Amino acid sequence: MQDEHDAVEPLATDLTGIDTRTAGLAQVTAGYLLRAPRPTLFECGPAKSIDTVIAALHALGFDPDDLAYLVVSHIHLDHAGGAGDLARAFPNATVVVSDLGAAHLVDPTKLNASARRVYGSLHDRVYGDCTPVQQEQVRAVTDGEVLDLGGGRRLELLHTPGHAKHHISAFDPDSGWLFAGDSVGVKLPGMRVIRPATPPPDFDLALARRTLDRYQSLEPSTLWLAHYGPLREPMAALDEALERLAAWAETAERAWAEHDELDHVAETLAQRFADDIAPDVDDPEATERLELLNGVESNAAGLLRYFRLREEGRVADDSS
Ligand SMILES: [Zn+2]
């Protein structure tokens, strides 16, 4: 039995990190608990590991009535899969989700089926089925809505598509903290650089760039990534995220022009970005974490899909 206290990390006086222990691995998906009069958890991780998160909240002194909000950046199962179970454990909590994704939390049938298609046996081993969130516990939000956390604390909710069309982020104007979900990319322990997260089924390069540009105009003090932890020099990190996104897109596009074939694009990307994990990192889990979450294959499939749609004129061009 893992000790739930291990999962809790004080990050600031009013911010606590909860390691969701996704797939039984440390530091894959982070939850962030804002300790305001209306306590708010940002991300809960997959259903499979939700007991770790619930136990961590109990260990922090939270009774079933105490959690006010769960905000999920998007409905991919590594972020929101545990929402139904968490909402039942904390029946006063409102689950805050993009209006473009909300219906899938109320009825996760399609969400689970598509995850099963994509992940195969990994689905049951790592994610598990998302259980429904009752309609009354869901708040579907659009860009610019504000969550009142009490005591003058507010969280601004931003529609930040790119990684997924229903992605939202939360900005705390008091602290300058930006809870960015997957929109900036991933930087797991042992990684040298940010890796963009460009998965199917709806990664959009133009929107992803626009979201990063928007973050720069907010001048955040810290970016909190779901995978994993803080980036304390956010403006440099946003430059890096834009530069890495361009590098991945260019590499994938060139490979696609050579052979319109997923394997070729994935192999080309894998070769070019083989050193995203620092070669001297002595951490056997480093590669496992990254492949699980943000495999080259998945990034290749998302980019390829985007290029094909763009060629057909079905998505906006990113060069404007
Ligand atoms: Zn995602």
Side-chain angles (χ1 to χ4, degrees):
M1 228 2 228
Q2 164 205 318
D3 179 359
E4 63 271 12
H5 296 84
D6 290 352
V8 169
E9 184 188 1
L11 299 167
T13 42
D14 48 0
L15 187 67
T16 303
I18 298 179
D19 186 342
T20 64
R21 300 296 160 108
T22 297
L25 296 170
Q27 302 191 313
V28 171
T29 304
Y32 296 107
L33 179 67
L34 260 170
R35 315 290 292 266
R38 294 194 190 100
T40 299
L41 179 65
F42 192 80
E43 315 282 39
C44 64
K48 183 90 182 167
S49 46
I50 197 66
D51 287 348
T52 302
V53 178
I54 293 170
L57 287 166
H58 290 159
L60 289 165
F62 277 67
D63 288 330
D65 289 344
D66 289 346
L67 187 69
Y69 296 113
L70 166 66
V71 182
V72 292
S73 65
H74 61 304
I75 60 171
H76 292 167
L77 292 186
D78 55 327
H79 294 254
D85 298 326
L86 193 92
R88 259 186 309 287
F90 295 93
N92 277 358
T94 298
V95 179
V96 178
V97 56
S98 160
D99 64 332
L100 302 175
H104 294 289
L105 290 188
V106 176
D107 178 3
T109 315
K110 274 192 194 158
L111 197 59
N112 291 327
S114 94
R116 219 169 269 281
R117 241 185 346 263
V118 174
Y119 299 118
S121 62
L122 204 65
H123 173 76
D124 289 319
R125 202 152 53 77
V126 172
Y127 301 110
D129 274 349
C130 181
T131 57
V133 185
Q134 289 187 54
Q135 182 82 58
E136 307 82 74
Q137 259 181 289
V138 173
R139 176 164 162 194
V141 296
T142 56
D143 186 57
E145 283 190 48
V146 171
L147 275 193
D148 178 0
L149 306 193
R153 198 84 186 256
R154 324 151 359 103
L155 260 191
E156 295 173 0
L157 302 170
L158 315 171
H159 181 218
T160 50
H163 173 80
K165 59 176 176 279
H166 61 275
H167 194 288
I168 61 172
S169 305
F171 182 60
D172 173 7
D174 284 357
S175 59
W177 293 337
L178 179 63
F179 299 93
D182 282 354
S183 56
V184 172
V186 309
K187 194 170 185 188
L188 294 163
M191 288 180 69
R192 278 187 322 117
V193 288
I194 295 168
R195 175 179 281 194
T198 68
D202 54 24
F203 169 72
D204 185 308
L205 180 59
L207 295 177
R209 285 196 165 124
R210 207 176 303 159
T211 285
L212 292 171
D213 289 342
R214 186 177 183 193
Y215 290 165
Q216 288 187 315
S217 71
L218 290 174
E219 299 187 17
S221 65
T222 305
L223 300 171
W224 297 95
L225 304 188
H227 320 291
Y228 186 98
L231 298 176
R232 305 264 185 200
E233 290 179 39
M235 298 309 272
L238 291 169
D239 284 343
E240 181 185 316
L242 279 161
E243 183 262 312
R244 293 272 102 186
L245 185 59
W248 277 74
E250 276 163 29
T251 305
E253 190 168 11
R254 214 172 310 127
W256 172 57
E258 287 162 9
H259 289 294
D260 185 354
E261 195 184 76
L262 177 61
D263 284 353
H264 176 66
V265 175
E267 274 161 33
T268 309
L269 288 169
Q271 251 170 34
R272 165 88 193 268
F273 299 106
D275 62 348
D276 279 4
I277 294 179
D280 56 348
V281 160
D282 184 19
D283 177 355
E285 284 183 356
T287 307
E288 195 183 350
R289 282 193 205 96
L290 184 57
E291 277 312 303
L292 173 74
L293 258 185
N294 190 221
V296 167
E297 185 92 1
S298 156
N299 269 0
L303 285 161
L304 201 52
R305 181 191 160 279
Y306 173 80
F307 295 139
R308 286 170 178 159
L309 289 178
R310 190 180 62 185
E311 193 177 50
E312 294 165 16
R314 291 165 61 196
V315 291
D317 200 321
D318 59 297
S319 52
S320 58

